[in-house]
């Protein structure tokens, strides 16, 4: 039977609320929220946590509610289907899972948030760079899935715009890799229909890769900048060790290895047994563990210098609040642009009126569109890093971008948005639907809202005008121009 308990410090203002499923009051995310005086409710299962949403009074935490779930199935449902209308109108909700929060805490650069773990792109990936970012994950677990999906949301770089062969690669190695592949393909069907991915079974005598090519490549072009690889095997397989050594030594690859088995002890054991080329180089080794002392000892002793433990101890609900604050400002910029008269030149706002942020955020019609803004916020640090901002703490140095930088990051934003929309369940239009939209542009919105078919899911070079006759990329361009304004507004929390 599902039950709930309350664990919170006394407070006079219950405007923030954390509902945590199957966690203890001593677990770091819960304890930090309670210590800050925020209201925390602990449910012993996701069903109970979800049922609690209907009983929340907006004045008693509903205007800033975080739902920390156990199951990624429930999270996926909220991200794609959203809340029932009566709850969506009442609650300002952001949902995550423990593993999703852990993955975000280790992968996302966000202004004002301490992130001590090395990012996937340790050296800035510029438009002219020939470097490929590569994440290799060992294990079949919720942690492995969450790390892979969040990496796909974050890892978008300008060099793909110059050469579409330079995709971010995510490799998952497990004895059950084909089951992992099938699970992710089923869960994110639209994404994988339009992605390159290959499968390799090292248990076979002749382990030839089976390659999947994007289904609409010939008609819509190459517009997904992340590719996938599923390898049936483990870290002791000779072929895997040989490739790890090769990748670690390549100047054209920024390699990160992640150990994400359900057994945290196994993760540390395998980290210590990785090829010596991993330990000698600059490769970061992420180790999923909720008991980080042994991992830190292995790092500090030199046994595995690149070992970086991550888990509940580094997961912070505060990161979600920062991403939401950034997302609200992204939404503000888009609202400004879409509210301009059709004949007016499109440009970002000169300032951000923070008094209107909550009102405009509540006006977003679906939870999935709120997530769209949050996913966009997750990549601001990565984008600025690609322009040379290598110190995440010095966001005050974000400057007005040059025309070339705006051009580059506008295309990066389209590629990022395309993957996000596919992940949220949208698909490209069919050839027949494309002809219909070309004959009547008003059908573009209809197809998006009724069929989850988006006319703009195509290569950046093939984008078409919208119903006002404006090229759709100018909205991403306005957002890119506004990045310094968005970040500074988020840091100061006031009008600029």
């Amino acid at each position: 039977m599902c039950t709930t308990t309350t664990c919170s410090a006394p407070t006079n203002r219950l405007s923030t609320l954390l509902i945590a499923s199957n966690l203890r009051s001593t677990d770091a995310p819960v304890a930090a929220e309670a210590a800050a005086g925020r209201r925390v409710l602990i449910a012993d299962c996701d069903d109970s946590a979800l049922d609690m949403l209907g009983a929340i009074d907006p004045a008693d935490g509903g205007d800033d509610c975080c739902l920390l779930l156990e199951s990624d199935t429930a999270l996926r449902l909220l991200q794609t289907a959203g809340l029932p209308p009566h709850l969506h109108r009442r609650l300002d909700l952001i949902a995550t899972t423990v593993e999703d929060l852990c993955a975000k805490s280790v992968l996302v650069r966000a202004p004002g948030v301490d992130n001590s773990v090395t990012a996937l792109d340790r050296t800035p990936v510029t438009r002219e760079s020939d470097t490929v970012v590569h994440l290799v994950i060992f294990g079949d677990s919720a942690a492995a899935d969450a790390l892979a999906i969040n990496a796909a949301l974050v890892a978008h770089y300008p060099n793909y715009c110059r050469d579409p062969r330079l995709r971010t690669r995510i490799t998952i190695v497990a004895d059950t890799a084909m089951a992992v592949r099938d699970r992710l393909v089923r869960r994110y069907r639209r994404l994988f229909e339009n992605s390159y991915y290959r499968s390799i079974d090292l248990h076979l005598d002749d382990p030839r890769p089976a390659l999947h090519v994007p289904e609409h490549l010939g008609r819509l072009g190459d517009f997904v900048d992340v590719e996938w690889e599923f390898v049936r095997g483990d870290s002791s397989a000779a072929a895997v060790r040989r490739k790890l050594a090769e990748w670690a030594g390549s100047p054209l690859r920024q390699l990160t290895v992640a150990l994400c088995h359900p057994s945290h002890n196994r993760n540390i054991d395998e980290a210590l047994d990785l090829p010596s080329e991993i330990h000698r180089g600059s490769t970061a080794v992420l180790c999923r563990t909720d008991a980080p002392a042994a991992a830190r000892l292995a790092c500090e002793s030199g046994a595995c210098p690149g070992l970086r433990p991550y888990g509940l101890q580094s997961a912070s609900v505060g990161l979600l609040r920062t991403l939401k604050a950034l997302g609200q400002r992204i939404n503000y910029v888009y609202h400004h642009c879409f509210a301009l008269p059709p004949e007016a030149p499109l440009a970002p706002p000169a300032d951000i009126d923070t008094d209107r942020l909550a009102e405009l955020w509540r006006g977003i019609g679906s939870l999935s569109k709120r997530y769209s803004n949050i996913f966009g916020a997750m990549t601001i640090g990565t984008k600025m890093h690609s322009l040379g901002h290598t110190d995440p703490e010095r966001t005050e140095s974000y400057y007005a971008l040059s025309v070339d930088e705006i051009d580059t990051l506008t295309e990066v934003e389209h590629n990022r948005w395309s993957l996000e929309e596919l992940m949220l369940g949208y698909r490209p239009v069919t050839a027949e639907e494309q002809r219909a939209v070309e004959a009547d542009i008003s059908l573009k919105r209809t197809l998006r809202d009724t069929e989850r078919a988006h006319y703009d899911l195509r290569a950046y070079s093939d984008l078409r005008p919208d119903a006002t006759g404006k090229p759709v990329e100018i909205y991403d361009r306005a957002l890119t121009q506004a990045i310094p304004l968005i970040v500074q507004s988020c840091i100061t929390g006031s009008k600029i």
Side-chain angles (χ1 to χ4, degrees), residues 246-411:
E246 174 189 326
W247 292 333
S250 172
L252 299 179
R253 192 172 299 264
Q254 294 197 50
L255 177 67
T256 299
V257 175
L259 287 310
C260 294
H261 299 288
S263 168
H264 294 179
N265 286 333
R266 179 180 175 182
N267 291 336
I268 296 175
D269 287 342
E270 287 197 13
L272 295 174
D273 190 45
L274 291 170
S276 58
E277 289 83 356
I278 298 286
H279 299 317
R280 288 199 303 264
S282 60
T283 302
V285 180
L286 305 179
C287 181
R288 176 66 179 91
T289 177
D290 291 331
R296 285 198 296 265
L297 181 63
C299 175
E300 295 167 2
S301 68
C304 184
L307 191 60
R308 301 290 185 269
Y310 82 98
L312 272 177
Q313 69 281 355
S314 56
S316 169
V317 177
L319 173 62
L320 293 182
R321 292 197 180 91
T322 297
L323 292 175
K324 175 185 169 183
L326 290 166
Q328 287 178 319
R329 287 153 175 84
I330 290 173
N331 178 61
Y332 184 97
V333 172
Y334 278 131
H335 181 272
H336 165 86
C337 292
F338 285 115
L340 291 172
E343 67 279 2
L346 197 142
D351 57 25
I352 291 177
D353 183 354
T354 55
D355 292 338
R356 297 195 62 209
L357 291 176
E359 168 202 347
L360 295 177
W361 189 251
R362 286 193 298 270
I364 297 176
S366 69
L367 190 57
S368 66
K369 289 306 178 186
R370 288 180 184 170
Y371 273 106
S372 177
N373 289 299
I374 290 170
F375 292 157
M378 287 169 58
T379 64
I380 287 178
T382 300
K383 289 173 181 173
M384 296 305 289
H385 188 251
S386 72
L387 300 181
H389 292 272
T390 56
D391 185 350
E393 299 302 315
R394 295 195 60 195
T395 50
E396 74 280 359
S397 67
Y398 282 12
Y399 49 79
L401 305 179
S402 71
V403 172
D404 287 345
E405 289 171 335
I406 292 169
D407 288 343
T408 294
L409 292 189
T410 297
E411 188 168 352

